[in-house]
């Protein structure tokens, strides 16, 4: 038996390519993190260690895929990575892009666990799933990000109410029932939750991008690295309104 006679099996492979000239979003999400967060005793509803670990892994993605990933937004056990419209990462092969990002994120999560959870052992290997979606315009990519940030806000409002009710000795079922179909804004007032005093990371999620570095300045520092952009920063900001995007026009530059 020789190699050549087996080569035909390759014809069964097929590469699904992401549409050219569109923004690619790779969204990853922790698998069964309901259980993972229970077993690792995450603080409820928000655990700073867990959120900062997620952020740290996302920074690692922006550093590794620095030519392609221009922005990331994360909340809870999920992260969205935006690839440049003109990215040609893996010739835009969906399987390659998704699997490379998910596996690098996951192994970084495991490697850095101890940096954030010094007192608690990682009890079993976490996993993340991932998907890629193409968005054809800057307007739609902005709407995508707004959708995730609104989701962050609503979930955080809900969870704040839920755990406040549980803290006031309601059962989880009672808490759930009293929030069913309720206007969360009203509930927050009723329960005397000082919502705006909650850490901004819980309310806004985390946004990551590369600081634009002055070309001239960089040229002085290192003649050769004109291609390598600035420092990666993590911020907790409003990405729904126009302000941030007006101040950072280069991020979603067409
Ligand atoms: P999935 O994604 O379908 O495999 O299932 P889950 O269980 O990951 O569900 P998902 O992604 O909709 O919800 C995220 C879960 O992770 C949710 O049960 C709450 C938990 N989680 C995420 N971040 C935190 C945190 O900071 N503290 C606590 N206590 N739980 C968290
Ligand atoms: Mg999921
Ligand atoms: Mg999940
Ligand atoms: Mg999730
Ligand atoms: Mg190989």
């Amino acid at each position: 038996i020789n190699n050549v006679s087996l080569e035909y099996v390759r014809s069964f492979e097929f590469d699904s390519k992401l549409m050219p000239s569109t923004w690619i979003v790779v969204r990853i999400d922790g698998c069964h993190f309901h259980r993972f967060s229970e077993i690792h005793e995450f603080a409820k509803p928000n655990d700073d260690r867990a959120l900062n670990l997620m952020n740290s892994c996302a920074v690692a993605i922006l550093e590794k895929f620095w030519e392609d990933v221009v922005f990331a937004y994360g909340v809870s056990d999920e992260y969205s990575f935006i690839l440049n419209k003109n990215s040609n990462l893996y010739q835009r092969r969906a399987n390659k892009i998704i699997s490379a990002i998910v596996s690098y994120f996951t192994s970084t999560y495991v490697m850095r666990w101890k940096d954030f959870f010094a007192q608690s052992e990682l009890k079993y290997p976490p996993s993340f799933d991932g998907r890629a979606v193409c968005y054809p315009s800057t307007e739609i990519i902005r709407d995508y990000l707004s959708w995730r940030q609104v989701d962050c806000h609503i979930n955080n409002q809900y969870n704040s109410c839920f755990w406040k009710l549980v803290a006031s000795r309601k059962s989880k079922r009672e808490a759930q029932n009293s929030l069913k179909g309720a206007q969360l804004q009203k509930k927050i007032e009723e329960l005397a939750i000082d919502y705006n005093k909650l850490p901004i990371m819980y309310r806004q999620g985390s946004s990551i991008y590369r600081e634009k570095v002055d070309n001239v300045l960089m040229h002085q520092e290192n003649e050769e690295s004109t291609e390598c952009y600035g420092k990666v920063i993590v911020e907790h900001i409003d990405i729904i309104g126009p302000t941030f995007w007006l101040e950072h026009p280069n991020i979603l530059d067409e």
Side-chain angles (χ1 to χ4, degrees):
I1 195 153
N2 69 44
N3 219 335
V4 177
S5 71
L6 295 175
E7 275 285 319
Y8 83 96
V9 297
R10 194 187 278 283
S11 67
F12 288 82
E13 290 186 11
F14 110 104
D15 277 332
S16 155
K17 291 214 179 183
L18 295 164
M19 206 186 298
S21 302
T22 55
W23 299 100
I24 299 168
V25 173
V26 175
R27 184 168 74 249
I28 66 157
D29 185 282
C31 299
H32 311 296
F33 261 47
H34 183 73
R35 173 162 184 262
F36 187 82
S37 60
E38 290 285 337
I39 288 192
H40 294 90
E41 298 174 328
F42 284 13
K44 287 165 176 170
N46 294 287
D47 188 306
D48 284 311
R49 301 165 301 174
L51 295 172
N52 288 324
L53 173 55
M54 291 289 290
N55 293 346
S56 164
C57 298
V59 167
I61 294 284
L62 263 88
E63 285 168 351
K64 182 165 174 69
F65 300 95
W66 63 271
E67 282 185 281
D68 302 283
V69 178
V70 296
F71 190 83
Y73 177 72
V75 49
S76 180
D77 68 339
E78 72 166 61
Y79 243 100
S80 298
F81 297 100
I82 300 183
L83 278 72
N84 204 336
K85 255 189 142 167
N86 313 315
S87 169
N88 197 31
L89 183 61
Y90 303 120
Q91 293 79 51
R92 298 179 80 93
R93 283 186 282 174
N95 292 336
K96 286 262 197 182
I97 293 174
I98 300 163
S99 58
I101 288 181
V102 165
S103 71
Y104 192 71
F105 189 96
T106 308
S107 58
T108 305
Y109 192 97
V110 172
M111 271 194 84
R112 296 189 182 173
W113 174 268
K114 266 274 170 263
D115 300 343
F116 293 87
F117 288 86
Q119 314 298 334
S120 57
E121 195 98 29
L122 182 56
K123 299 212 171 75
Y124 66 90
S127 55
F128 290 83
D129 63 34
R131 69 197 69 191
V133 181
C134 296
Y135 294 100
S137 71
T138 310
E139 194 191 350
I140 303 178
I141 199 75
R142 286 268 314 270
D143 283 345
Y144 171 82
L145 290 168
S146 301
W147 174 56
R148 295 326 299 144
Q149 194 165 44
V150 167
D151 204 57
C152 165
H153 176 65
I154 292 169
N155 286 332
N156 194 51
Q157 280 191 322
Y158 183 92
N159 291 334
S160 303
C161 292
F162 182 85
W163 291 107
K164 178 95 183 195
L165 286 164
V166 171
S168 65
R169 294 196 296 177
K170 287 247 192 306
S171 73
K172 287 186 183 173
R173 182 187 297 251
E174 284 170 327
Q176 209 174 359
N177 284 336
S178 102
L179 291 174
K180 205 170 270 171
Q183 274 224 323
L184 290 173
Q185 195 53 53
K186 280 209 184 112
K187 277 280 171 195
I188 282 178
E189 286 157 28
E190 265 174 52
L191 293 166
I193 296 169
D194 201 348
Y195 189 78
N196 291 326
K197 286 269 169 65
L198 291 177
I200 194 161
M201 178 163 66
Y202 305 170
R203 290 180 285 122
Q204 308 259 35
S206 300
S207 297
I208 307 185
Y209 59 96
R210 227 170 275 102
E211 203 165 49
K212 192 174 159 61
V213 171
D214 198 317
N215 260 342
V216 180
L217 200 109
M218 212 160 51
H219 221 77
Q220 289 171 344
E221 277 174 15
N222 185 349
E223 284 281 334
E224 277 153 41
S225 71
T226 40
E227 286 282 274
C228 184
Y229 301 113
K231 208 176 124 222
V232 175
I233 20 192
V234 182
E235 277 184 347
H236 317 291
I237 42 161
D238 179 357
I239 52 170
I240 298 172
T243 312
F244 173 77
W245 301 106
L246 288 170
E247 285 169 0
H248 300 87
N250 56 308
I251 296 175
L252 295 182
D253 203 2
E254 300 243 2

